[in-house]
Amino acid sequence: MLLVAVLLVLAAGLAVRSGYNTVARTNNQVTIVLQPASEAVADLNTALAEMENAVTAYALTADAAYLGTYIEGSARAATDFRNLRGLLASDPELSDLIREARQAQLTWKRQGAQPIIEATERGDRAEARDLVRSGVSRNLYNDVRTYTNTLDQRIRDLVDYGLAQQEAEFVRLSLLLNVSVLLVLGLLAVVSTLLLRGVLHPLRDLQRQMLTVAQEGSHEVPISASGPPELRAVGQDAEKMRRELVAGFDRVRQAHEGLEQQTPVVAAIRSELADSHTTGVPGIDLFGVQQPAEGVMAGDWWSARVLVDGRLAITVTDVSGHGPEAGMEALRLKHVMELSLAQAGDPALALTQAAEGFRVASRFATCITAILDPQTGLLAWANAGHPPAWLVTATTTTELVSTGPLLSVLGGTWTNEHTHMELGSTLLLWTDGLTESRSGDNQELGDDGLADLVAEALAGEQTSEGVVGYILASARARSVDWQRDDVTCVAVRRI
C-alpha cells in the first residue's frame, strides 16, 4: 500500500509537471509572441492608414507636411513588418501572410501612392487628383489591409486558443489533484484500519496480558500474541521472559521456605529488619525499598513510625559491611532507635543512645533520622555522618546535612536541626550503596547523577512508590556492581 501511495504521488507529480510545462509554454507563446505581434499589426494598420490619408491630402493641397507624414508612416510600417517577421518566424502560415502583406504594401506604394506623389511634386495637381479619383491607390491599399486584417484575426485566434488551452489545463490539473487527494486519503483510511485491527488491537491485547501476568497470583497465566509476525515474536519473547521469571520466583520461594525451616533465627532477624513501613498517615505519601547485597541479610534498614503525638519518625541507617554480622548490628540499632524515638521524640538523643551500644571498634554506622509533623510541615532531623537527605520543592533542594559524627565506639555529640516541608515537596533519603554504584566505564552515579534521576522521577511519577521505583531501576540499569553494597532508598511526599 505504501508502494501504491508512492506511485500515486509520483504519477500526480509527473502530471502536474507536464501540465505546468504546458501552461508555461502556452503562456510564454501568448505573452512573448502573440500579444506583441497583435500590437505590431495594430500599429502597422495605423501606419498604413496614415500613409493613405497623407497621400490623398498631399494630392489635394500640395502641402509638404503631408508628404512627411507619408514618409514617417512608411518607415513605421517597415519596422512593424520587420518585428512581425522576427516574432512569427516559427509559424509558416503567418510568415507567408506577413510576406504577402509586405509585397502588397510595396505594390501599393509603387503603383498607387508613388504616381500621385510624383504628379504633385511636378505641379500637375490635376493629374494627381485624377489618379486619386481613379481609385487605383485606394484599391491597392485595401488589398494591403485585407492581408493585415487576416493576419490580425489569425493572431487573435491563436491567442484565444492558447487561453482556452490554459483554462482546460487548469481544470484538468484541479481534477487530477482532487482525485489524487481522495485516493491518498482513501489509502490512509485503509492503512489506518489495517493498522488498528492488525497491529494496535493485538498490541493492546499483549499489553493487557503482560499487565495481568505482572499481578500477584497471575504469574502462571501464559502469554499468547496475535497479529503480524513481528508482534508474535515479541509475544514469544515475553512468554519466555515470563517463564524465566516464574522459575526465578519458584527458586526464591524455595529459598525462603528453606530459610524459614532451617534457620529460624536468621529468618526472624530478616523479618524484623524488613518491618519498616508504618500504617498510612493522612497527608503523607511514603514508600521505601531496602535491597541487601548478600543473601537476605543486610546492614541497611529504614523505618517509618508514627509517634504518640501524631508525628512521623523516618530513619535510614547504613551499618558498615553486609551479611549476617551487619544484620545483627542493624537489628540492635533499629530497636534502640525506634524505642528512643517513641519515648522522647528527639532525633539527637536517639543517636546518642544508639552509639552507646557499640562494642567493636571495626564496626560503625551512619544514620539519619527525621521527625515530620504532617499537619504543620515542621521537620526536625539529626544526621550521624550519613549522606545528606534532600528536601526537594518545585524550585529548591535543601540538604539535611550532618549534625555530628558517625555512630561508633568513639561516641560523640549530635544536634537537631529544623526546617519546613511545604505541601507537594518530597523528602528523599538513601544509603551510599546507591550513589557509589558504578557504570561500565567505572563512573560512580554520584550526587550529580542521582540529582538527574530525581528530577526525571519527580517530573514523570505521581507517587513516592513511582519515584523510588524509577530511581532504583535507572541506577541499576547503568550499574555493573549493583550487588557490591546494600542499597536503600526512601521517598516521603507531603500532600
Side-chain angles (χ1 to χ4, degrees):
M1 304 222 38
L2 177 62
L3 179 60
V4 171
V6 170
L7 291 176
L8 280 175
V9 172
L10 289 177
L14 292 175
V16 169
R17 181 177 179 83
S18 174
Y20 171 79
N21 290 337
T22 300
V23 171
R25 184 169 57 254
T26 304
N27 183 68
N28 289 338
Q29 180 70 11
V30 170
T31 58
I32 298 178
V33 176
L34 297 179
Q35 287 182 349
S38 179
E39 293 172 358
V41 171
D43 187 70
L44 173 61
N45 285 331
T46 302
L48 293 174
E50 290 177 354
M51 290 172 64
E52 169 64 12
N53 293 332
V55 167
T56 302
Y58 183 57
L60 296 176
T61 64
D63 188 348
Y66 290 112
L67 181 59
T69 300
Y70 171 84
I71 296 173
E72 179 183 354
S74 180
R76 285 172 52 197
T79 301
D80 290 332
F81 274 117
R82 186 166 52 254
N83 291 338
L84 285 170
R85 282 196 297 270
L87 290 170
L88 303 177
S90 61
D91 191 320
E93 180 183 357
L94 296 180
S95 295
D96 290 343
L97 280 174
I98 295 171
R99 183 170 58 257
E100 292 172 356
R102 177 60 171 168
Q103 186 63 40
Q105 191 245 358
L106 293 176
T107 300
W108 167 56
K109 287 180 62 178
R110 183 174 61 255
Q111 298 179 8
Q114 194 62 32
I116 295 174
I117 293 173
E118 290 175 354
T120 303
E121 288 178 341
R122 289 195 306 270
D124 191 349
R125 299 178 62 185
E127 182 182 358
R129 292 189 184 96
D130 289 340
L131 290 173
V132 172
R133 293 191 192 100
S134 68
V136 175
S137 176
R138 185 68 180 178
N139 292 334
L140 293 174
Y141 166 75
N142 289 337
D143 291 341
V144 178
R145 289 299 302 267
T146 299
Y147 284 114
T148 58
N149 289 339
T150 302
L151 179 63
D152 183 59
Q153 186 59 47
R154 179 57 180 159
I155 292 174
R156 291 178 183 274
D157 291 342
L158 290 176
V159 170
D160 292 340
Y161 174 76
L163 295 177
Q165 189 177 17
Q166 284 185 342
E167 183 177 358
E169 196 65 33
F170 281 128
V171 172
R172 189 180 73 85
L173 288 177
S174 176
L175 179 61
L176 176 64
L177 290 176
N178 290 334
V179 171
S180 300
V181 169
L182 290 177
L183 288 176
V184 171
L185 290 178
L187 283 175
L188 288 177
V190 173
V191 170
S192 299
T193 301
L194 294 177
L195 180 65
L196 184 64
R197 294 181 179 180
V199 178
L200 295 183
H201 285 173
L203 185 60
R204 289 173 182 168
D205 180 65
L206 178 60
Q207 180 188 32
R208 178 187 56 78
Q209 294 184 64
M210 295 181 68
L211 291 175
T212 299
V213 167
Q215 296 176 0
E216 187 175 357
S218 301
H219 306 320
E220 301 295 337
V221 179
I223 296 176
S224 60
S226 59
E230 295 83 359
L231 192 57
R232 291 198 298 272
V234 173
Q236 293 171 358
D237 292 340
E239 171 62 13
K240 181 179 179 181
M241 181 178 65
R242 182 197 68 81
R243 294 172 183 173
E244 293 177 353
L245 290 176
V246 168
F249 292 154
D250 290 340
R251 290 191 294 270
V252 170
R253 184 180 65 253
Q254 293 169 0
H256 280 257
E257 290 174 352
L259 179 63
E260 296 290 344
Q261 294 170 0
Q262 300 178 17
T263 55
V265 174
V266 174
I269 294 174
R270 174 184 176 278
S271 177
E272 182 65 22
L273 288 175
D275 184 17
S276 302
H277 203 303
T278 185
T279 56
V281 180
I284 296 297
D285 175 21
L286 171 70
F287 186 79
V289 171
Q290 177 263 328
Q291 297 178 349
E294 293 181 0
V296 296
M297 294 288 289
D300 287 4
W301 61 270
W302 73 277
S303 172
R305 302 293 183 187
V306 179
L307 306 182
V308 293
D309 57 4
R311 294 182 299 165
L312 179 65
I314 307 110
T315 303
V316 174
T317 300
D318 182 6
V319 178
S320 60
H322 40 80
E325 295 82 4
M328 292 294 293
E329 186 62 44
L331 179 61
R332 182 191 70 79
L333 288 174
K334 185 173 188 292
H335 285 165
V336 173
M337 293 287 297
E338 288 187 343
L339 179 60
S340 177
L341 290 171
Q343 291 177 343
D346 186 327
L349 178 60
L351 293 177
T352 301
Q353 293 176 348
E356 292 174 354
F358 277 90
R359 296 292 182 267
V360 180
S362 60
R363 185 71 63 187
F364 59 88
T366 65
C367 178
I368 183 171
T369 181
I371 297 180
L372 171 63
D373 189 334
Q375 300 298 321
T376 64
L378 182 62
L379 182 67
W381 86 89
N383 186 339
H386 196 80
W390 290 347
L391 178 58
V392 183
T393 67
T395 57
T396 61
T397 297
T398 302
E399 292 188 345
L400 276 57
V401 297
S402 178
T403 62
L406 50 78
L407 302 178
S408 68
V409 296
L410 300 177
T413 301
W414 294 268
T415 59
N416 292 325
E417 296 291 340
H418 300 82
T419 188
H420 182 265
M421 185 174 182
E422 301 175 359
L423 288 173
S425 59
T426 300
L427 177 64
L428 188 74
L429 308 94
W430 69 92
T431 57
D432 58 11
L434 175 60
T435 52
E436 291 177 0
S437 62
R438 293 181 177 272
S439 61
D441 55 0
N442 202 35
Q443 295 295 318
E444 286 190 353
L445 176 64
D447 289 349
D448 292 340
L450 179 58
D452 293 337
L453 296 183
V454 170
E456 295 170 4
L458 292 178
E461 302 293 339
Q462 304 299 319
T463 64
S464 293
E465 181 177 0
V467 170
V468 172
Y470 181 90
I471 293 173
L472 292 183
S474 300
R476 183 165 187 168
R478 69 175 294 278
S479 175
V480 296
D481 62 347
W482 191 251
Q483 302 297 329
R484 182 189 59 81
D485 196 4
D486 303 328
V487 175
T488 298
C489 184
V490 181
V492 184
R493 296 176 66 242
R494 185 167 177 245
I495 56 178

